[in-house]
Amino acid sequence: MSCVGEYFAKYRGAGAAGTPIPAWSHTAWSFIGSFIGIAVIGLLQTYYFGPHHFHLMVPAYGAMATLLFSAIKAPVAQPYNTIVGNTLGGIVTVCVTLVLQFFSMDDWVWLGGALTVSLTIVVQELMNAVHPPGAATGLIFSIMVPWHKSHVLLALFPLVPALLGACVLVITALLVNNLAASRNYPLWWSPIKMARTDEKKLLPVDEEGTSSSEEPNCAEAYLHKLSGTDTEPSPRPPLSDTPFSWLGAFICMALIGLLDTYVLGPVAHMKLLIPAFGAMSVIVFSNCKAPLAQPINVVLGNTIGGIVGVLVMELLKFFSLAHMMWLCAALCVSLTIAVQERTNTVHPPGGATALLYALVPDGGLKFIISPALLGAVIFVIVGVIMNNLSPARRYPQRWFFDDAPAQVTE
């Protein structure tokens, strides 16, 4: 088969099997954890950071909550990736903004967004700290051009919200996830493999010199979970693949930004460029083999975020509760995660899409069409075209819920 034929053959997908729908108990804990985490950030924003003119609550935390409370076994959800990866997004966006300001181009939103997201992916891969919400955090600052004029926001953005918000959600995840008997968080603390002490030596020894086999009590078992598990840290992405991650993310984000600036915005009066697509870029172009990155998850998962965001806000307006930002944000994100789990379409950017509508409830049903649905479809199309240029990649792994061939039983 020719190179062209092999390239287009990848479009059929790898025929991968689907993932099972999680248990209802898992969904209950995902809802509780994400609600508490987003509510804490919302309350901090309302009663402390807001009055001091800082922005702690940003849409990226909808995606982060999805990872930390629903996809807790994913490498990108571990504390190192979360804290370092999100902070890197804040640092990269400040650097990109300063360079564009030097050339009087910081109002070129499409270019700033594309550079911020694609370079964040590069730095995250080099640091082995890939974390999708980090690119969403960076994209927020690129989009909010008025923020560029504030030297205080420019200097502190890597700390607030990037670093502090990630720390708040990680601490919440540690406290809440480990309350469930079926959950262990984190899997590891450091991406560097650490030699673990033989646990047998840690067992209490009686007077005769034999080790006791008593089961640890609930408090000891809970605290032991905080130390992590024996799971191997994920290896750093190969350097040969990083250029493909950068190129795919840059082209897709530039396309989204140009369509938003010159087509959908002025012609259809619809929004297309939103922070969630920073996280979607990392998932589709840097982690394209993950179940979260498959087309059915991307399109349905993000659209669910739009639908839940609109419905929740309309319901809260009916009950005159829409002014309680922390409640709106927590409900939009946690309900999005619950619906995604029950439909087997977990996709972290969907949480960011729902959170954006909670913070800026504008557009109504049009918001579901664009950016929620249309943006996700564009990402899948560009993802198929760009990812398959790499000899080491095949995207998608599956188009639908389960593409594995059915086994014929005799």
Side-chain angles (χ1 to χ4, degrees):
M1 185 182 294
S2 66
C3 293
V4 176
E6 291 179 358
Y7 171 77
F8 284 106
K10 292 182 179 181
Y11 282 30
R12 294 196 299 265
T19 55
I21 297 177
W24 279 99
S25 59
H26 181 91
T27 300
W29 281 108
S30 299
F31 177 89
I32 293 170
S34 58
F35 184 92
I36 293 174
I38 297 298
V40 169
I41 290 182
L43 290 168
L44 288 173
Q45 173 67 38
T46 301
Y47 296 106
Y48 183 77
F49 289 96
H52 289 84
H53 308 290
F54 285 102
H55 303 276
L56 181 64
M57 175 65 83
V58 291
Y61 295 136
M64 191 179 293
T66 308
L67 287 172
L68 267 59
F69 298 104
S70 178
I72 63 173
K73 293 184 179 180
V76 295
Q78 304 312 306
Y80 171 82
N81 295 68
T82 302
I83 296 173
V84 176
N86 206 60
T87 306
L88 288 174
I91 295 172
V92 169
T93 193
V94 169
C95 293
V96 169
T97 300
L98 290 174
V99 171
L100 292 179
Q101 281 182 339
F102 180 80
F103 292 101
S104 300
M105 297 170 62
D106 65 303
D107 58 343
W108 291 29
V109 176
W110 69 269
L111 178 61
L115 283 173
T116 293
V117 171
S118 57
L119 289 176
T120 295
I121 293 175
V122 171
V123 178
Q124 285 184 346
E125 289 193 357
L126 293 176
M127 295 285 291
N128 198 15
V130 174
H131 185 64
T137 299
L139 183 57
I140 293 162
F141 197 85
S142 295
I143 294 174
M144 299 299 294
V145 176
W147 292 7
H148 302 174
K149 312 305 178 185
S150 171
H151 296 296
V152 175
L153 289 178
L154 191 65
L156 295 181
F157 190 81
L159 298 177
V160 180
L163 173 61
L164 181 58
C167 289
V168 170
L169 281 180
V170 165
I171 291 171
T172 307
L174 290 169
L175 295 176
V176 177
N177 280 329
N178 291 313
L179 291 173
S182 59
R183 295 187 175 212
N184 285 80
Y185 183 81
L187 297 183
W188 64 79
W189 280 98
S190 169
I192 302 173
K193 182 180 179 182
M194 305 292 289
R196 295 179 63 90
T197 305
D198 188 353
E199 293 187 2
K200 292 182 179 179
K201 296 180 182 179
L202 299 180
L203 291 174
V205 179
D206 59 24
E207 296 180 354
E208 297 180 358
T210 58
S211 61
S212 171
S213 59
E214 291 182 3
E215 290 293 329
N217 59 41
C218 293
E220 291 173 339
Y222 175 82
L223 293 174
H224 180 70
K225 288 184 178 182
L226 300 179
S227 65
T229 68
D230 289 323
T231 305
E232 291 283 337
S234 60
R236 189 176 67 181
L239 292 177
S240 59
D241 247 17
T242 298
F244 293 99
S245 300
W246 177 85
L247 183 62
F250 182 87
I251 289 176
C252 193
M253 286 306 308
L255 176 61
I256 292 278
L258 289 169
L259 288 173
D260 179 84
T261 303
Y262 298 108
V263 181
L264 283 177
V267 177
H269 304 290
M270 300 174 74
K271 192 66 181 172
L272 183 60
L273 180 61
I274 59 173
F277 294 150
M280 195 176 292
S281 294
V282 181
I283 291 175
V284 172
F285 297 107
S286 180
N287 204 20
C288 64
K289 292 183 179 180
L292 307 174
Q294 304 316 305
I296 193 73
N297 294 68
V298 174
V299 175
L300 289 187
N302 203 60
T303 304
I304 286 171
I307 294 171
V308 171
V310 171
L311 292 179
V312 168
M313 290 307 297
E314 290 301 316
L315 185 63
L316 292 177
K317 286 178 184 177
F318 179 80
F319 288 104
S320 301
L321 295 172
H323 65 284
M324 301 174 67
M325 182 272 290
W326 68 270
L327 178 62
C328 298
L331 279 176
C332 283
V333 173
S334 55
L335 287 174
T336 293
I337 294 172
V339 176
Q340 285 182 347
E341 287 194 1
R342 301 328 304 163
T343 56
N344 206 12
T345 57
V346 173
H347 186 61
T353 299
L355 182 53
L356 173 64
Y357 196 83
L359 300 177
V360 188
D362 182 38
L365 294 178
K366 289 200 301 184
F367 181 84
I368 299 172
I369 299 172
S370 179
L373 173 60
L374 179 59
V377 170
I378 292 174
F379 262 91
V380 168
I381 294 173
V382 178
V384 170
I385 295 171
M386 298 304 300
N387 278 324
N388 289 316
L389 292 174
S390 168
R393 297 186 179 191
R394 183 163 189 157
Y395 183 78
Q397 293 293 295
R398 54 180 170 83
W399 278 99
F400 302 104
F401 291 105
D402 191 341
D403 286 1
Q407 296 182 352
V408 180
T409 57
E410 296 181 0

